[in-house]
Amino acid sequence: MKSVSEYLASLRARRPFPIWFRGERIADPTTHPALARSLATVCKVYELAQDPAWQDLLTTESPLTGGRINFYLSPLLCREHAWQKTRLARSLGQVLGACTHRCTGSEAIAGLFPLTYELEAERGVPVHRRFLDWLADVQREDLTVTAALTDPKGDRRLKPHEQPEPDVYLHIVARREDGIVLRGAKVNQTGVLLAHEMLVLPTATVEEADRACAVACAVPTDAPGLTYVLGRQPHDARCGDPDEDLDSGRRFGDHQALILFEDVFVPWQRVFLAGEWEYSGRLVDYFTAVHRLTAGACKAGGMTLLTGATWLAARYIGVERAGHVREKVAEMEMGAETLYALSLAAGQEGHSHPSGAWIPDALLAHTGKYLATRLPFEAARYAREIATGWGETAPAAADLHHPELGPRIERLLRPAVEGATAEDRLRLVRLIESLTRGSNWSAFALHGGGNPEASRLMALRQMDLEHLSRVAAVACGIEEDEASTLAEVAGRQGRVERRRD
Amino acid sequence: MKSVSEYLASLRARRPFPIWFRGERIADPTTHPALARSLATVCKVYELAQDPAWQDLLTTESPLTGGRINFYLSPLLCREHAWQKTRLARSLGQVLGACTHRCTGSEAIAGLFPLTYELEAERGVPVHRRFLDWLADVQREDLTVTAALTDPKGDRRLKPHEQPEPDVYLHIVARREDGIVLRGAKVNQTGVLLAHEMLVLPTATVEEADRACAVACAVPTDAPGLTYVLGRQPHDARCGDPDEDLDSGRRFGDHQALILFEDVFVPWQRVFLAGEWEYSGRLVDYFTAVHRLTAGACKAGGMTLLTGATWLAARYIGVERAGHVREKVAEMEMGAETLYALSLAAGQEGHSHPSGAWIPDALLAHTGKYLATRLPFEAARYAREIATGWGETAPAAADLHHPELGPRIERLLRPAVEGATAEDRLRLVRLIESLTRGSNWSAFALHGGGNPEASRLMALRQMDLEHLSRVAAVACGIEEDEASTLAEVAGRQGRVERRRD
Amino acid sequence: MKSVSEYLASLRARRPFPIWFRGERIADPTTHPALARSLATVCKVYELAQDPAWQDLLTTESPLTGGRINFYLSPLLCREHAWQKTRLARSLGQVLGACTHRCTGSEAIAGLFPLTYELEAERGVPVHRRFLDWLADVQREDLTVTAALTDPKGDRRLKPHEQPEPDVYLHIVARREDGIVLRGAKVNQTGVLLAHEMLVLPTATVEEADRACAVACAVPTDAPGLTYVLGRQPHDARCGDPDEDLDSGRRFGDHQALILFEDVFVPWQRVFLAGEWEYSGRLVDYFTAVHRLTAGACKAGGMTLLTGATWLAARYIGVERAGHVREKVAEMEMGAETLYALSLAAGQEGHSHPSGAWIPDALLAHTGKYLATRLPFEAARYAREIATGWGETAPAAADLHHPELGPRIERLLRPAVEGATAEDRLRLVRLIESLTRGSNWSAFALHGGGNPEASRLMALRQMDLEHLSRVAAVACGIEEDEASTLAEVAGRQGRVERRRD
Amino acid sequence: MKSVSEYLASLRARRPFPIWFRGERIADPTTHPALARSLATVCKVYELAQDPAWQDLLTTESPLTGGRINFYLSPLLCREHAWQKTRLARSLGQVLGACTHRCTGSEAIAGLFPLTYELEAERGVPVHRRFLDWLADVQREDLTVTAALTDPKGDRRLKPHEQPEPDVYLHIVARREDGIVLRGAKVNQTGVLLAHEMLVLPTATVEEADRACAVACAVPTDAPGLTYVLGRQPHDARCGDPDEDLDSGRRFGDHQALILFEDVFVPWQRVFLAGEWEYSGRLVDYFTAVHRLTAGACKAGGMTLLTGATWLAARYIGVERAGHVREKVAEMEMGAETLYALSLAAGQEGHSHPSGAWIPDALLAHTGKYLATRLPFEAARYAREIATGWGETAPAAADLHHPELGPRIERLLRPAVEGATAEDRLRLVRLIESLTRGSNWSAFALHGGGNPEASRLMALRQMDLEHLSRVAAVACGIEEDEASTLAEVAGRQGRVERRRD
């Protein structure tokens, strides 16, 4: 497995490719200040993967390579893997307060593993073998992989082929003997500039008329024809010197990019779905079940970090004994536990797939993701309340560090905790500001892994409402065939389909 | 294991004891209409324990008897037991829409098992042996056991020994050579009139000055000195004939009683705690961790039943395609899944106790209970909304069945579903009325297993806020000793104490 | 104006008509125990109308009679009237904790006043004169009037004329020279059995194909062809003796009935709309604007009563200083104030109609009604929490009054307030039980004046979203014509239409 | 009244004073880019005060000057003034999406008017005359006035005189013949750098031992001894060129500053409270009643702006017909109406003060402020959801305007609305970003006018819970003296004190 310096060297070994930010080109993503916090995140994950205390969370054995690999490069192969994913997401969420940069890739791997198995078994296309070959290489090289998911979508009343501008959905424009050619774009892609590979997936279930959009493949991030536009975050201009870094609130961060695909060629060896539109829905299902399991747990981690920050903020002004403060802190952490529990349960309630994959329970996973679009926002409100208005209007670190001005402020803003300084307090309120406003953490809570409505609808689709109606009908004496309904109750717990290993 | 008729015979074999209801004595609790729905519940549990489809949920092996026993009579002995408890609670919750009558007893067993082990190991009092003897008998006889928990408490500003009326807390008034004598009362005791045994537990942690209240023991429900006053439920007068039963909304129900202890003698062989006040807090902790794990899952079951009823109600008036109806139904069932997940996760995250007991994670269990005091109420509001105002003002079954009046109503209220009748619709809205208003299901959600504030406070006590503060301090650069904090993160997940097997 | 005894005499002077309850006929609604609490309510309103302290709330001058009349018999004629309605609804809501039985009638009067004016002015039908004649009589006789609103509706996917059973919508079956003949039914009609008159209104906007359903008229409650079926409430069997009355929780109550119209003749002099379907939507709008203004304020009153009961319950067990109790009580009463404010504001923001009517602002009124479907439920949960589990399981008054049993319970359940008795505590928890479960108060909150979805949709229709879009477009520089948008902002406050006097 | 250019000239005529920002001095606050959006706000208010469409909202007659003045310089003198304040706050809130910079000053004027009247009447100190003299000058000069309210507070467990650092509370350090000398600081002061005058008020009720903190006076913003430190906002570095301005999301903005008082002299003619600690609580009450009335209405305006932006965002992607979108937009605007109603009602329910002031109802005002700490956050979540993930990750305006890159992005991100451009869409999502994250609008919602807990506690203090208990006691038959309680109900509506004019 790669050390941090090996990772950096491998990034720098990529062929140069166009990255835009605020109207200018970024020459080297490993040195540009706008990407510094994001780079720190990926490096931290490489570092922790070699930390003995994190071995059980961040590594696993690979049947493909026979060796120990980064856990993010493994499909879920057993129930324990699901639990490991939940705990890892929560733990890293606490440490980073930012996206790990590694989850979408791991979930694309977890989704493509059973999907390619089915496609190969049912259609005879050798995509599972191709996928395993690619995966074994990636595991051996210990690469960072992200997924490329969300298309711009244009007018949402129209299907892809009805759009006036066809490139608002990524699609195959040519099928050649040696591979396929892609055109279109992906938006909101987290972490892609610091990854080696991206796994392209369809943004949603594809119908026959849009079969050109049914595409899944692996693309190196430096492939010709790719152009990246780095998106803005509220705090993104706070970088470049230590004071501004302090005002940005955190050591770690992430980035999102718009990716233009302008005739990108992908050789068949890296293509896992190319027009088989009937498989697109299944792929989305396999992917989202794991993705949303993680999305909930990850936000649990961030909420726990926010709870800790809030508690420290309360101590800094001496209100940690106030009843309402204790209630709010308890609510925040109970919220984190709720997300954690839904993720954990989704993993436990999963089932085995013939490919060897472990498929989490979709209803619990979508429910967790749905709550992850709500609970962090209540927590954010509490955190901001308890940090006081000063948390919203604090001066710059540069003011505190100015020889003439600093000492005059310092004595006014010093915390009520022995030994703590005004700078400590500034650091803390900037962390809270970053989590709740300045960084995209709350954007992840809302949109990462799907927005609230998508999660609610997918959860609804998993519910066997006819079965539930029968339970009610038996309970009140409308339905007289009690026996078969009760037998169902003992087994299915209200799901459309319930496969237990 | 007992058949239903053996259970009924055993109940009738109890020595007569005083039960009051609405100013009169109930001679036989197995025939009085006010207890009929409650009796149906207990009988159903005995019946299902012999149903092949429910074997995995309702039975287990006993190391004490070497045979198969009712699962409610077993302590939790492994992680799988915890999951079984979660699934059983949810499944029965769906079928009954009422209290199982068996949970508090099973949780008292689960709590006394490790507690008596510790007390025996540390103090040499042979209480673990006594408890196992009593338990083996109960398992062999397949008895129904409930717990007697909540004292009247009087003025809550005062401690037990400060109360002007000492009997507002159950206490030992005499220690004799052959046993102890109890005086006081327990309130809100569900199911006790139809149980064989009750396990008396302290209502809360006991301090030294109140050591007379530190008492745990097994008391037959027909012990001399016990008097019961059956509490009222809103629908309790709807019984006595089939129409009134229909108007009560359900086939199953439960009852609560006030129990007067007026010098009740308990022989030492049945006494498990008698003055060892230092152990009272631990007992409460062991008991509530399992009790609240169950309380959450049980309400998940009731919510699922309510979801099914609501969906059927929507179909009955033809609005099941309306967007807001689908959203509300999805919210209801996602609420059920959330409670289920917290219960499941509490079991998974538990730890082994030297006694062989499996102790669920308290933070997750209390969180689940806390949410169980909120989510069912939102679900109830949705159910009542979708059932329409007619659900709140429907006429009596007797009106529908009246030869002159009935047909004139029938054609006005017939559902929009082929084959369904106005009576079906009446049954359905009465089920919803019962769950949301007429029975005590919502009272269980609110108070059963502890009220919201108690749950929130106990959850708070489980959180290691100092650890969380350190995580935040590391994240924003206040704290420089990153390594030890990160190692903690990988293991403890923010809990005061975290023992993993 | 009528005294209570005159009111009772006038009720008894009605010709006998069929009332069904639990499969039997009620001979005299003024003496049947099932209607006793409801009758107490109407009597209380007649009594307070003669109480000097309530003159400003319960009476007004009538331009029709030139004398002082019961305020419920007056249309809203000025902004001050709207405020009086808000304050009256809240005040009576506190006293009664039940429906006043008078609101729907007064709101039908308030709606028919401008509607008949328009119909007469635009079509020349002399309905305004007819309506004023009828109204003057009613004012002089000081009658109780209710509205008959909600049709059974059958399959909600179908329009009235598409229903397999046409009588699920009330409709005109014959137009005769002397009047019209009605067939169908109305459900959920509160108070009708104790009223003299009912004002029939369409249940919703009527389209041309359903013009037979576009009917508004005044019908005496004892008109031939009417049959009533009294609906059940959870506590309805608690009546007949003082102990059961105590267990029912309150002195006041209400009732709902299903009304069968089986060829009911209405002379033209009492007909205000008969087929003019184009006017049905306006009538619904005029009616609901006043009705929902009242619905919000009324629930504010009930919530205030519940807050008082909860505070007393907290004092009874000595927890009134606990932080979380104070927070919850504050939330409850702030909820009441919120409903009150929306009602008050809806009245203030109204406009004058050429008829002389004052039309409240619909957006504020619907918003108030919408919140009235939520806030009382949160308050109910808090009240039940603070009243403790005993509030859900308390024994019967008959137990407390039993000479042998009573004293033994009394000392265990005595409140922590000097001089208060266990019976006081029982009364209090029964009041809370009644408001939250036993009576239909919460059903009014949810459905009275329209369900949540109807309120939300009607509120949405009042919003000028295109105007709001322009405001946003100006704010971010998309739209350059700032001046006209800013002028609109100063006047319209985001409404579709805004007429200020 | 001043034109915009006269205002700018008057600002520039101030004597130079120290302003710090990011470690450097700001020489001229009227030209520094960090204050540009804030300056645009104040200028807009001066401009609209001369706009005929805004005359009724932004101006009034002054009894002091006999002429037309800016409404922000008038105390509330009648019920209509309160309504004007509510409507003005909401209207400007929509236009600006930022603080008006004028409210705290106007509310300090509204609070000092009755307070100085009482102090002069009761103690004979000529502070009312002094205040009116100062006010008449300010009205004639048409100055911008802000209030200086919040002290740093240090360790909140300690009272001011117990603090290790006394300057964490502003206090009088010397009383001289010609005036007083102040030391300490104020935090979070909005708008102060662009105002002519600040009104210093105590941060909370002062006890006798802290009488040095009982100080209210008028201080010119350029008084010697004052130093300002401008606080940071997340988007504050987005300024300096048109593209960055576009990325900041809005034309208008605000600023907050920390103000150091280092021996600031205030002549007696400008001192209105100096040690009379018994009056501090009343002053806080008079001030907060008006301040919170405004705080609620102002947030209603911002929410309405956010609703408009969200609706336009929905149209831009073609989802404006989706049910859940319509529901969420309706919820957002109903939230705005709720805040508006509470503000309006607080004004209507006010009472006259002997000074001629109109005092809003404190319970309604605090309730409005309390809800203003919640409802905008739900609205923000909905807005961000509907704006899609692209709203969180959009590229910079500079990218869109780049000749090579821009056109390639433009066609991918063009809205589904005829004629709208990708730049329009960028402007819109930046507006939403600014309101929800980048600017301090949400900080105002949470902290401006007091935090949630302060609002809840002050609301609780206004409730006459003993009276409410009596209402409940009468309702359930505990209390037999019905008459006096019912008379109270008709008049007091549950308030501690209720004075109606």
Side-chain angles (χ1 to χ4, degrees), chain D residues 164-377:
Chain D
E165 169 53 67
D167 289 356
V168 297
Y169 281 88
L170 184 71
H171 57 288
I172 303 171
V173 287
R175 302 173 76 92
R176 297 175 5 191
E177 199 172 332
D178 53 349
I180 57 176
V181 179
L182 299 177
R183 201 176 287 160
K186 293 283 184 181
V187 295
N188 315 332
Q189 301 307 306
T190 296
V192 67
L193 297 172
L194 302 174
H196 306 89
E197 292 271 327
M198 73 175 101
L199 281 168
V200 171
L201 298 186
T203 198
T205 299
V206 174
E207 298 178 11
E208 187 168 6
D210 293 312
R211 62 196 319 160
C213 299
V215 59
C217 57
V219 180
T221 50
D222 60 355
L226 291 173
T227 299
Y228 300 88
V229 189
L230 186 56
R232 301 208 67 170
Q233 294 186 354
H235 270 181
D236 61 8
R238 296 190 183 177
C239 58
D241 71 42
D243 281 346
E244 288 291 297
D245 278 351
L246 192 164
D247 286 352
S248 81
R250 286 178 313 155
R251 299 154 57 203
F252 304 109
D254 45 56
H255 70 273
Q256 288 78 39
L258 164 66
I259 314 175
L260 306 181
F261 286 72
E262 291 163 318
D263 293 336
V264 173
F265 171 72
V266 188
W268 285 115
Q269 200 51 34
R270 289 173 155 271
V271 175
F272 313 127
L273 185 77
E276 298 87 351
W277 59 275
E278 308 91 328
Y279 287 79
S280 61
R282 287 192 230 174
L283 178 51
V284 170
D285 284 351
Y286 288 139
F287 170 74
T288 55
V290 190
H291 190 31
R292 290 182 181 167
L293 172 149
T294 313
C298 159
K299 253 50 80 192
M303 284 179 74
T304 292
L305 173 58
L306 195 56
T307 306
T310 304
W311 183 249
L312 191 52
R315 290 174 52 212
Y316 272 9
I317 57 170
V319 298
E320 77 272 23
R321 308 301 308 171
H324 80 97
V325 169
R326 296 175 72 80
E327 290 162 16
K328 284 164 188 164
V329 166
E331 296 274 347
M332 292 170 77
E333 188 64 4
M334 285 196 287
E337 292 293 326
T338 302
L339 298 185
Y340 177 66
L342 280 156
S343 178
L344 189 162
Q348 295 294 310
E349 283 282 0
H351 66 273
S352 286
H353 183 270
S355 63
W358 180 257
I359 312 291
D361 182 74
L363 178 48
L364 287 158
H366 296 319
T367 300
K369 164 62 210 176
Y370 184 66
L371 288 187
T373 67
R374 298 196 165 187
L375 302 178
F377 291 85

Side-chain angles (χ1 to χ4, degrees), chain B residues 4 31 35 46-47 50 60 78 117 137-138 161 194 199 231 237 273 277 279 295 310 344 387 396 409 411 429 473 477:
Chain B
V4 170
T31 57
L35 288 165
Y46 275 101
E47 181 194 321
Q50 301 190 335
T60 192
C78 56
Y117 177 90
D137 285 349
V138 158
H161 68 278
L194 302 174
L199 282 168
L273 186 76
W277 59 274
Y279 287 79
T310 304
L344 190 162
I409 307 178
R411 65 189 183 88
V429 299

Side-chain angles (χ1 to χ4, degrees), chain B residues 93-367:
Chain B
Q94 286 179 58
V95 171
L96 301 171
C99 183
T100 64
H101 294 56
R102 304 293 294 268
C103 289
T104 58
S106 80
E107 291 135 19
I109 290 168
L112 283 166
F113 185 82
L115 188 279
T116 54
Y117 177 90
E118 292 178 18
L119 182 48
E120 181 160 333
E122 296 168 13
R123 297 277 177 101
V125 202
V127 288
H128 197 52
R129 266 164 285 168
R130 282 183 201 162
F131 176 70
L132 295 183
D133 287 347
W134 172 85
L135 185 60
D137 285 349
V138 158
Q139 290 178 348
R140 264 183 232 105
E141 297 293 324
D142 196 20
L143 301 183
T144 287
V145 181
T146 64
L149 295 161
T150 310
D151 294 354
K153 293 183 187 161
D155 185 335
R156 299 196 182 198
R157 289 165 298 196
L158 308 178
K159 298 186 175 164
H161 68 278
E162 298 169 343
Q163 298 285 343
E165 169 51 68
D167 290 355
V168 297
Y169 281 87
L170 185 71
H171 57 288
I172 302 170
V173 285
R175 301 174 75 95
R176 296 173 9 190
E177 199 172 332
D178 52 350
I180 58 176
V181 180
L182 300 177
R183 200 178 288 159
K186 293 283 184 181
V187 296
N188 315 330
Q189 301 307 307
T190 295
V192 68
L193 297 172
L194 302 174
H196 305 90
E197 292 270 329
M198 73 176 100
L199 282 168
V200 171
L201 300 186
T203 199
T205 299
V206 175
E207 298 178 9
E208 185 167 12
D210 293 313
R211 61 196 319 159
C213 300
V215 61
C217 56
V219 181
T221 51
D222 59 357
L226 291 173
T227 299
Y228 299 89
V229 190
L230 186 56
R232 301 208 67 171
Q233 294 186 356
H235 270 182
D236 61 9
R238 297 190 183 178
C239 57
D241 72 41
D243 280 347
E244 288 290 299
D245 279 352
L246 192 164
D247 286 353
S248 80
R250 285 179 312 156
R251 301 155 56 205
F252 304 108
D254 45 58
H255 70 273
Q256 288 78 39
L258 164 65
I259 315 175
L260 306 182
F261 286 72
E262 291 162 316
D263 293 339
V264 174
F265 171 72
V266 188
W268 285 116
Q269 200 51 34
R270 288 173 155 273
V271 176
F272 314 127
L273 186 76
E276 297 88 349
W277 59 274
E278 308 91 326
Y279 287 79
S280 60
R282 287 192 230 173
L283 178 51
V284 170
D285 284 350
Y286 288 140
F287 170 74
T288 54
V290 189
H291 190 31
R292 290 185 179 163
L293 171 150
T294 313
C298 159
K299 253 51 80 192
M303 285 179 73
T304 291
L305 174 59
L306 195 56
T307 305
T310 304
W311 184 248
L312 191 52
R315 290 173 52 212
Y316 272 10
I317 58 171
V319 299
E320 78 272 22
R321 308 300 310 170
H324 80 97
V325 169
R326 297 175 70 81
E327 289 162 17
K328 284 164 188 164
V329 166
E331 296 273 347
M332 292 170 77
E333 188 64 4
M334 285 195 288
E337 293 294 327
T338 302
L339 298 184
Y340 177 66
L342 280 156
S343 179
L344 190 162
Q348 295 294 311
E349 283 280 0
H351 66 274
S352 287
H353 184 269
S355 63
W358 180 256
I359 312 291
D361 181 75
L363 177 48
L364 287 158
H366 297 318
T367 300

Side-chain angles (χ1 to χ4, degrees), chain C residues 33 80 130 163 213-214 221 243 266 277-278 292 315 331-332 363 368 428 437 456 462 469 476-477 483:
Chain C
E80 261 303 321
R130 282 183 201 162
Q163 298 285 342
C213 299
T221 51
D243 280 347
V266 189
W277 60 275
E278 308 92 326
R292 290 183 180 166
R315 289 174 53 211
E331 297 274 345
M332 292 170 77
L363 177 48
L428 188 67
R437 300 204 283 158
R456 182 157 63 176
Q462 300 296 325
S469 291
C476 63

Side-chain angles (χ1 to χ4, degrees), chain A residues 44 47-48 53-54 57 79 83 87 90-91 94-95 249-252 304-305 307-309 311-312 315-316 326-327 329-331 333-334 337-338 340-342 344-345 348-349 361 363-364 366-367 370-371 374 424-425 427-428 431 453 455-456 459-460 463 465-469 471-478 482 486-487 489-491 493-495 498 500, chain B residues 44 47-48 53-54 57 79 83 87 90-91 94-95 249-252 304-305 307-309 311-312 315-316 326-327 329-331 333-334 337-338 340-342 344-345 348-349 361 363-364 366-367 370-371 374 424-425 427-428 431 453 455-456 459-460 463 465-469 471-478 482 486-487 489-491 493-495 498 500:
Chain A
K44 192 74 186 175
E47 179 194 322
L48 288 173
W54 286 70
L57 292 175
R79 182 177 273 148
W83 198 352
R87 292 176 59 226
R90 186 178 191 186
S91 298
Q94 286 178 58
V95 171
R250 286 179 313 157
R251 298 153 59 201
F252 303 108
T304 292
L305 173 59
T307 306
W311 183 249
L312 191 53
R315 290 173 54 210
Y316 272 9
R326 297 175 70 80
E327 290 161 15
V329 166
E331 297 274 348
E333 188 64 4
M334 286 195 288
E337 294 293 325
T338 302
Y340 177 66
L342 280 156
L344 189 163
Q348 294 294 311
E349 283 281 1
D361 182 74
L363 178 47
L364 287 158
H366 296 320
T367 300
Y370 183 66
L371 289 188
R374 299 198 163 183
D424 291 342
R425 190 172 171 194
R427 287 182 181 277
L428 188 67
L431 171 64
E453 206 52 33
S455 312
R456 181 156 65 174
L460 183 67
M463 300 172 191
L465 294 171
E466 297 313 310
H467 164 63
L468 297 187
S469 291
V471 174
V474 165
C476 64
I478 296 174
E482 183 178 348
L486 291 199
V489 167
Q493 309 270 353
R495 277 152 177 80
R498 185 173 177 86
R500 293 179 60 85
Chain B
K44 192 71 186 176
E47 181 194 321
L48 288 173
W54 286 70
L57 291 175
R79 181 177 273 150
W83 198 351
R87 291 177 57 227
R90 186 178 191 184
S91 298
Q94 286 179 58
V95 171
R250 285 179 312 156
R251 301 155 56 205
F252 304 108
T304 291
L305 174 59
T307 305
W311 184 248
L312 191 52
R315 290 173 52 212
Y316 272 10
R326 297 175 70 81
E327 289 162 17
V329 166
E331 296 273 347
E333 188 64 4
M334 285 195 288
E337 293 294 327
T338 302
Y340 177 66
L342 280 156
L344 190 162
Q348 295 294 311
E349 283 280 0
D361 181 75
L363 177 48
L364 287 158
H366 297 318
T367 300
Y370 183 66
L371 288 187
R374 298 198 164 183
D424 291 343
R425 191 174 171 193
R427 286 183 181 277
L428 188 67
L431 172 63
E453 205 54 32
S455 312
R456 183 157 62 176
L460 183 67
M463 299 171 190
L465 295 171
E466 297 312 309
H467 164 63
L468 298 187
S469 292
V471 174
V474 166
C476 63
I478 297 173
E482 183 178 347
L486 291 198
V489 167
Q493 308 269 350
R495 279 154 175 79
R498 185 172 177 87
R500 294 180 60 86

Side-chain angles (χ1 to χ4, degrees), chain B residues 19-33:
Chain B
I19 308 173
W20 293 86
F21 182 53
R22 296 168 71 183
E24 295 178 3
R25 294 279 291 267
I26 289 182
D28 180 357
T30 68
T31 57
H32 194 280

